[in-house]
Amino acid sequence: MQIGILYSRIRKDEKLLLAELRDRGHEVTKIDVRKERFGLESTTADVADLDLVVDRCLSTSRSLYATKFLDSYGVPVINSPETGDVCADKAKNSLALAEADIPTPATEVAFTKETAMEAIEEFGYPCVLKPVVGSWGRLMAKIDTRNAAEAILEHKETLGHYEHKVFYIQEFVDKPGRDIRVLAVDGEPVAAMTRSSDHWLTNAAKGGETKSFDLDDRALDLVERASAAVGGGMLGVDLMEVGGTGSGEYTVHEVNHTVEFKALDSASDVDVPAKVVDWLEAKAAATADDEEVTA
Ligand SMILES: Nc1ncnc2c1ncn2[C@@H]1O[C@H](COP(=O)(O)OP(=O)(O)O)[C@@H](O)[C@H]1O
Ligand SMILES: [Mg+2]
Protein backbone atom coordinates (compact mmCIF):
# COMPACT_ATOMS: atom_id res chain seq x y z
CA MET A 1 0.00 0.00 0.00
CA GLN A 2 1.22 3.51 -0.78
CA ILE A 3 0.57 5.86 2.06
CA GLY A 4 1.25 9.57 2.30
CA ILE A 5 1.93 11.28 5.60
CA LEU A 6 1.14 14.96 5.53
CA TYR A 7 3.20 16.70 8.20
CA SER A 8 5.15 19.73 9.22
CA ARG A 9 7.10 18.14 12.05
CA ILE A 10 7.87 14.48 12.71
CA ARG A 11 7.18 13.91 16.40
CA LYS A 12 7.25 10.68 18.38
CA ASP A 13 3.67 9.98 17.22
CA GLU A 14 4.61 10.20 13.54
CA LYS A 15 7.76 8.13 14.15
CA LEU A 16 5.67 5.35 15.70
CA LEU A 17 3.31 5.42 12.72
CA LEU A 18 6.10 5.53 10.12
CA ALA A 19 7.96 2.64 11.78
CA GLU A 20 4.84 0.45 11.84
CA LEU A 21 3.98 1.23 8.20
CA ARG A 22 7.52 0.49 7.02
CA ASP A 23 7.77 -2.70 9.10
CA ARG A 24 4.77 -3.97 7.21
CA GLY A 25 6.40 -3.16 3.88
CA HIS A 26 4.21 -0.22 2.93
CA GLU A 27 5.66 2.50 0.79
CA VAL A 28 5.52 5.77 2.67
CA THR A 29 5.65 9.19 1.04
CA LYS A 30 6.36 11.97 3.48
CA ILE A 31 4.71 15.20 2.40
CA ASP A 32 6.12 18.22 4.19
CA VAL A 33 3.22 20.64 3.94
CA ARG A 34 5.60 23.62 4.24
CA LYS A 35 7.21 22.66 0.92
CA GLU A 36 4.04 22.08 -1.08
CA ARG A 37 1.79 24.26 -3.16
CA PHE A 38 -1.83 23.38 -3.75
CA GLY A 39 -3.42 24.52 -6.99
CA LEU A 40 -7.07 24.24 -7.90
CA GLU A 41 -6.46 21.20 -10.06
CA SER A 42 -3.12 19.83 -8.97
CA THR A 43 -0.45 20.02 -6.32
CA THR A 44 3.32 20.05 -6.37
CA ALA A 45 3.13 17.00 -4.07
CA ASP A 46 3.31 13.61 -5.76
CA VAL A 47 0.01 12.28 -4.46
CA ALA A 48 -1.93 11.00 -7.47
CA ASP A 49 -1.05 7.33 -6.93
CA LEU A 50 -1.31 7.22 -3.17
CA ASP A 51 -3.87 4.87 -1.65
CA LEU A 52 -4.36 7.08 1.35
CA VAL A 53 -2.95 10.23 2.91
CA VAL A 54 -2.85 10.60 6.69
CA ASP A 55 -2.97 14.20 7.85
CA ARG A 56 -0.58 14.76 10.76
CA CYS A 57 -0.28 18.54 10.46
CA LEU A 58 0.09 20.29 13.78
CA SER A 59 -1.27 23.56 12.56
CA THR A 60 -5.05 23.68 12.29
CA SER A 61 -5.12 25.98 9.29
CA ARG A 62 -2.68 23.81 7.33
CA SER A 63 -4.57 20.69 8.26
CA LEU A 64 -7.93 22.12 7.22
CA TYR A 65 -6.80 23.49 3.86
CA ALA A 66 -4.40 20.75 2.82
CA THR A 67 -6.98 18.01 3.45
CA LYS A 68 -9.59 20.00 1.56
CA PHE A 69 -7.32 20.31 -1.48
CA LEU A 70 -6.26 16.65 -1.40
CA ASP A 71 -9.87 15.61 -1.12
CA SER A 72 -10.74 17.72 -4.16
CA TYR A 73 -8.01 15.94 -6.17
CA GLY A 74 -9.78 12.67 -5.29
CA VAL A 75 -7.07 11.47 -2.89
CA PRO A 76 -8.51 9.57 0.10
CA VAL A 77 -7.52 11.45 3.23
CA ILE A 78 -7.65 10.66 6.95
CA ASN A 79 -9.32 12.52 8.50
CA SER A 80 -11.77 13.89 6.00
CA PRO A 81 -11.94 17.68 5.68
CA GLU A 82 -15.53 17.52 6.93
CA THR A 83 -14.50 15.79 10.16
CA GLY A 84 -11.58 18.21 10.52
CA ASP A 85 -13.87 21.17 10.10
CA VAL A 86 -16.12 20.09 12.97
CA CYS A 87 -13.34 18.95 15.29
CA ALA A 88 -11.04 21.93 14.78
CA ASP A 89 -13.61 24.30 16.21
CA LYS A 90 -14.89 23.80 19.75
CA ALA A 91 -18.20 25.54 19.02
CA LYS A 92 -18.94 23.30 16.01
CA ASN A 93 -17.74 20.32 18.03
CA SER A 94 -20.14 21.07 20.89
CA LEU A 95 -23.03 21.64 18.49
CA ALA A 96 -22.41 18.33 16.71
CA LEU A 97 -22.37 16.46 20.04
CA ALA A 98 -25.53 18.18 21.29
CA GLU A 99 -27.33 17.56 17.98
CA ALA A 100 -26.56 13.85 18.37
CA ASP A 101 -27.96 13.90 21.93
CA ILE A 102 -24.59 13.11 23.42
CA PRO A 103 -24.11 14.46 26.95
CA THR A 104 -21.74 17.41 26.68
CA PRO A 105 -21.08 20.29 29.11
CA ALA A 106 -23.54 23.19 28.90
CA THR A 107 -21.96 25.76 26.60
CA GLU A 108 -22.76 29.18 25.24
CA VAL A 109 -21.12 31.32 22.60
CA ALA A 110 -21.24 35.12 22.70
CA PHE A 111 -19.63 37.81 20.57
CA THR A 112 -19.23 40.79 22.88
CA LYS A 113 -17.76 41.36 26.31
CA GLU A 114 -21.18 42.31 27.61
CA THR A 115 -23.07 39.24 26.43
CA ALA A 116 -20.16 37.00 27.45
CA MET A 117 -20.31 38.55 30.93
CA GLU A 118 -24.05 37.82 31.11
CA ALA A 119 -23.42 34.19 30.20
CA ILE A 120 -20.63 33.87 32.76
CA GLU A 121 -22.78 35.31 35.53
CA GLU A 122 -25.57 32.91 34.64
CA PHE A 123 -23.26 29.90 34.67
CA GLY A 124 -21.89 31.13 37.99
CA TYR A 125 -18.38 30.62 39.34
CA PRO A 126 -16.25 28.79 38.54
CA CYS A 127 -16.91 28.49 34.83
CA VAL A 128 -14.65 27.96 31.86
CA LEU A 129 -13.67 30.12 28.90
CA LYS A 130 -11.99 28.37 25.97
CA PRO A 131 -10.58 29.52 22.67
CA VAL A 132 -12.69 27.97 19.88
CA VAL A 133 -9.53 26.85 18.09
CA GLY A 134 -6.59 25.34 19.92
CA SER A 135 -5.42 22.36 21.92
CA TRP A 136 -3.05 21.11 24.64
CA GLY A 137 -5.00 23.15 27.17
CA ARG A 138 -3.63 26.43 25.84
CA LEU A 139 -5.35 29.74 26.68
CA MET A 140 -8.05 28.02 28.67
CA ALA A 141 -9.36 29.96 31.62
CA LYS A 142 -11.14 28.74 34.73
CA ILE A 143 -12.94 31.83 35.96
CA ASP A 144 -13.47 32.05 39.71
CA THR A 145 -14.71 35.61 40.16
CA ARG A 146 -16.39 38.46 38.33
CA ASN A 147 -13.16 40.45 38.54
CA ALA A 148 -11.25 37.68 36.79
CA ALA A 149 -13.99 37.42 34.15
CA GLU A 150 -13.82 41.15 33.39
CA ALA A 151 -10.04 41.06 33.07
CA ILE A 152 -9.98 38.04 30.78
CA LEU A 153 -12.75 39.34 28.54
CA GLU A 154 -11.02 42.69 28.16
CA HIS A 155 -7.68 41.09 27.41
CA LYS A 156 -9.25 38.81 24.83
CA GLU A 157 -11.14 41.63 23.18
CA THR A 158 -8.12 43.92 23.05
CA LEU A 159 -5.26 41.53 22.44
CA GLY A 160 -6.90 38.43 20.97
CA HIS A 161 -6.73 37.21 17.41
CA TYR A 162 -9.81 36.73 15.28
CA GLU A 163 -10.84 33.45 16.98
CA HIS A 164 -10.73 35.09 20.40
CA LYS A 165 -13.54 37.41 19.35
CA VAL A 166 -15.78 34.39 19.80
CA PHE A 167 -16.34 33.82 23.50
CA TYR A 168 -16.91 30.12 24.23
CA ILE A 169 -18.22 29.78 27.75
CA GLN A 170 -18.82 26.48 29.49
CA GLU A 171 -20.06 25.17 32.81
CA PHE A 172 -17.26 23.89 35.02
CA VAL A 173 -17.57 20.13 35.40
CA ASP A 174 -16.49 18.95 38.84
CA LYS A 175 -14.55 15.96 37.55
CA PRO A 176 -12.64 13.67 39.90
CA GLY A 177 -9.15 15.04 39.15
CA ARG A 178 -8.99 13.21 35.87
CA ASP A 179 -10.53 12.92 32.46
CA ILE A 180 -10.56 10.13 29.89
CA ARG A 181 -9.00 10.05 26.43
CA VAL A 182 -10.11 7.39 24.00
CA LEU A 183 -8.43 6.82 20.66
CA ALA A 184 -11.06 5.43 18.32
CA VAL A 185 -11.16 4.47 14.66
CA ASP A 186 -14.60 4.95 13.13
CA GLY A 187 -16.08 4.67 16.60
CA GLU A 188 -14.17 1.51 17.57
CA PRO A 189 -11.86 2.16 20.57
CA VAL A 190 -8.18 1.35 20.05
CA ALA A 191 -7.10 2.22 23.60
CA ALA A 192 -8.16 4.47 26.45
CA MET A 193 -6.44 6.21 29.33
CA THR A 194 -7.17 8.50 32.21
CA ARG A 195 -5.23 11.72 32.58
CA SER A 196 -4.91 12.82 36.19
CA SER A 197 -3.65 16.06 37.61
CA ASP A 198 -4.01 18.34 40.64
CA HIS A 199 -4.51 21.09 38.09
CA TRP A 200 -7.95 21.46 36.51
CA LEU A 201 -6.34 21.00 33.08
CA THR A 202 -5.47 17.32 32.88
CA ASN A 203 -4.03 17.24 29.32
CA ALA A 204 -1.02 14.94 28.91
CA ALA A 205 0.65 17.95 27.24
CA LYS A 206 0.16 19.85 30.53
CA GLY A 207 1.81 17.09 32.53
CA GLY A 208 -1.30 15.07 33.41
CA GLU A 209 -0.41 11.58 34.62
CA THR A 210 -1.67 8.87 32.29
CA LYS A 211 -3.00 5.43 33.14
CA SER A 212 -4.75 2.76 31.11
CA PHE A 213 -8.56 2.77 31.42
CA ASP A 214 -11.16 0.07 30.73
CA LEU A 215 -14.22 1.41 28.98
CA ASP A 216 -17.62 0.28 30.23
CA ASP A 217 -20.65 -0.15 27.96
CA ARG A 218 -21.85 3.39 28.54
CA ALA A 219 -18.50 4.86 27.52
CA LEU A 220 -18.26 2.53 24.51
CA ASP A 221 -21.65 3.70 23.32
CA LEU A 222 -20.73 7.37 23.76
CA VAL A 223 -17.44 6.98 21.91
CA GLU A 224 -19.19 5.31 18.99
CA ARG A 225 -21.85 8.01 18.82
CA ALA A 226 -19.41 10.89 19.31
CA SER A 227 -17.31 9.58 16.44
CA ALA A 228 -20.35 9.33 14.17
CA ALA A 229 -21.50 12.81 15.23
CA VAL A 230 -18.36 14.42 13.83
CA GLY A 231 -18.21 12.30 10.67
CA GLY A 232 -15.99 9.40 11.80
CA GLY A 233 -12.28 8.79 11.30
CA MET A 234 -9.27 8.38 13.56
CA LEU A 235 -10.25 10.43 16.58
CA GLY A 236 -9.43 11.31 20.15
CA VAL A 237 -12.63 11.39 22.18
CA ASP A 238 -12.36 13.25 25.51
CA LEU A 239 -14.77 12.42 28.32
CA MET A 240 -15.17 13.52 31.91
CA GLU A 241 -16.79 11.48 34.67
CA VAL A 242 -19.76 13.23 36.20
CA GLY A 243 -20.44 12.51 39.86
CA GLY A 244 -17.09 11.03 40.83
CA THR A 245 -14.57 8.35 39.94
CA GLY A 246 -16.10 5.30 38.32
CA SER A 247 -19.63 6.76 38.46
CA GLY A 248 -20.30 5.43 34.97
CA GLU A 249 -21.84 8.79 34.03
CA TYR A 250 -19.96 10.71 31.38
CA THR A 251 -19.97 13.94 29.52
CA VAL A 252 -18.05 14.27 26.25
CA HIS A 253 -16.24 17.60 26.11
CA GLU A 254 -14.52 17.29 22.75
CA VAL A 255 -13.47 15.12 19.84
CA ASN A 256 -9.99 15.72 18.38
CA HIS A 257 -9.13 15.07 14.74
CA THR A 258 -5.32 15.11 14.72
CA VAL A 259 -4.95 12.78 17.61
CA GLU A 260 -1.70 12.03 19.40
CA PHE A 261 -1.02 8.50 20.52
CA LYS A 262 2.42 8.33 22.09
CA ALA A 263 1.07 8.82 25.63
CA LEU A 264 -1.65 6.25 25.00
CA ASP A 265 0.86 3.79 23.56
CA SER A 266 3.00 4.06 26.73
CA ALA A 267 0.05 4.00 29.14
CA SER A 268 -1.78 0.98 27.72
CA ASP A 269 -0.84 -2.61 26.90
CA VAL A 270 -2.28 -2.15 23.44
CA ASP A 271 0.11 -1.81 20.50
CA VAL A 272 -1.48 1.44 19.39
CA PRO A 273 0.46 2.02 16.11
CA ALA A 274 -0.28 -1.59 15.06
CA LYS A 275 -4.01 -1.15 15.63
CA VAL A 276 -4.00 2.19 13.85
CA VAL A 277 -2.20 0.71 10.84
CA ASP A 278 -4.60 -2.28 10.80
CA TRP A 279 -7.38 0.24 10.42
CA LEU A 280 -5.54 2.33 7.81
CA GLU A 281 -4.99 -0.84 5.75
CA ALA A 282 -8.67 -1.70 5.93
CA LYS A 283 -9.57 1.87 5.03
CA ALA A 284 -7.24 1.93 2.00
CA ALA A 285 -8.60 -1.44 0.82
CA ALA A 286 -12.18 -0.20 1.15
CA THR A 287 -11.38 2.97 -0.82
CA ALA A 288 -9.71 0.91 -3.55
CA ASP A 289 -12.82 -1.33 -3.77
CA ASP A 290 -15.03 1.75 -4.08
CA GLU A 291 -12.87 3.04 -6.92
CA GLU A 292 -13.18 -0.28 -8.77
CA VAL A 293 -16.94 -0.20 -8.44
CA THR A 294 -17.12 3.35 -9.75
CA ALA A 295 -14.71 2.66 -12.64
N1 LIG B 1 -15.95 22.29 31.37
C1 LIG B 1 -14.88 21.78 32.00
N2 LIG B 1 -14.90 21.56 33.33
C2 LIG B 1 -13.82 21.05 33.97
N3 LIG B 1 -12.67 20.72 33.35
C3 LIG B 1 -12.59 20.91 32.01
C4 LIG B 1 -13.69 21.45 31.27
N4 LIG B 1 -13.35 21.51 29.98
C5 LIG B 1 -12.09 21.07 29.91
N5 LIG B 1 -11.62 20.70 31.12
C6 LIG B 1 -10.27 20.18 31.40
O1 LIG B 1 -9.38 20.89 30.57
C7 LIG B 1 -8.71 20.01 29.68
C8 LIG B 1 -8.60 20.65 28.29
O2 LIG B 1 -9.88 20.91 27.77
P1 LIG B 1 -10.29 20.59 26.28
O3 LIG B 1 -11.66 21.13 26.07
O4 LIG B 1 -10.10 19.14 26.02
O5 LIG B 1 -9.30 21.49 25.44
P2 LIG B 1 -7.94 21.15 24.64
O6 LIG B 1 -8.35 21.20 23.21
O7 LIG B 1 -7.00 22.24 25.00
O8 LIG B 1 -7.50 19.77 25.04
C9 LIG B 1 -9.55 18.75 29.68
O9 LIG B 1 -8.75 17.65 29.39
C10 LIG B 1 -10.12 18.73 31.08
O10 LIG B 1 -9.18 18.18 31.99
MG1 LIG C 1 -8.72 18.01 24.93
Side-chain angles (χ1 to χ4, degrees), residues 38 90 129 193 225 235:
F38 298 87
K90 284 194 165 51
L129 196 58
M193 65 182 180
R225 287 167 51 210
L235 300 166

Side-chain angles (χ1 to χ4, degrees), residues 23-242:
D23 278 358
R24 296 194 192 191
H26 297 305
E27 222 174 286
V28 183
T29 307
K30 290 200 285 177
I31 310 165
D32 182 343
V33 74
R34 295 166 302 178
K35 297 195 176 135
E36 303 305 334
R37 293 170 5 224
F38 298 87
L40 299 182
E41 264 125 50
S42 69
T43 169
T44 52
D46 207 2
V47 294
D49 298 327
L50 296 175
D51 297 308
L52 199 68
V53 171
V54 184
D55 165 36
R56 299 296 308 171
C57 289
L58 284 176
S59 134
T60 304
S61 51
R62 290 173 182 170
S63 162
L64 291 182
Y65 284 105
T67 54
K68 187 99 186 124
F69 275 90
L70 292 177
D71 184 66
S72 94
Y73 308 144
V75 180
V77 55
I78 300 293
N79 285 311
S80 74
E82 292 79 20
T83 292
D85 184 61
V86 177
C87 293
D89 183 301
K90 284 194 165 51
K92 292 181 188 172
N93 212 313
S94 297
L95 266 179
L97 293 170
E99 276 166 9
D101 275 334
I102 295 163
T104 192
T107 301
E108 280 191 21
V109 162
F111 304 111
T112 66
K113 259 186 345 195
E114 292 69 29
T115 48
M117 196 63 221
E118 276 171 30
I120 289 170
E121 290 269 292
E122 265 175 45
F123 274 119
Y125 302 99
C127 65
V128 175
L129 196 58
K130 300 184 184 180
V132 279
V133 178
S135 50
W136 300 316
R138 283 178 310 195
L139 292 173
M140 309 258 299
K142 179 180 170 199
I143 306 175
D144 293 313
T145 62
R146 186 181 172 103
N147 281 339
E150 283 170 354
I152 292 164
L153 293 176
E154 186 173 1
H155 277 76
K156 269 186 175 286
E157 197 175 64
T158 314
L159 302 173
H161 293 296
Y162 166 80
E163 303 99 64
H164 293 274
K165 311 288 177 213
V166 180
F167 298 108
Y168 176 101
I169 303 137
Q170 192 162 75
E171 68 170 310
F172 180 76
V173 176
D174 193 12
K175 62 187 182 302
R178 66 181 201 182
D179 75 342
I180 299 158
R181 159 58 62 87
V182 186
L183 170 63
V185 285
D186 281 340
E188 178 87 22
V190 169
M193 65 182 180
T194 52
R195 303 177 294 189
S196 306
S197 174
D198 292 337
H199 198 278
W200 76 279
L201 296 168
T202 58
N203 299 63
K206 285 267 179 198
E209 209 175 291
T210 56
K211 207 164 149 244
S212 175
F213 181 74
D214 290 329
L215 297 166
D216 57 23
D217 288 347
R218 192 86 154 253
L220 287 170
D221 173 59
L222 288 177
V223 168
E224 191 182 338
R225 287 167 51 210
S227 167
V230 300
M234 179 162 93
L235 300 166
V237 182
D238 286 352
L239 307 94
M240 291 185 274
E241 289 151 295
V242 185

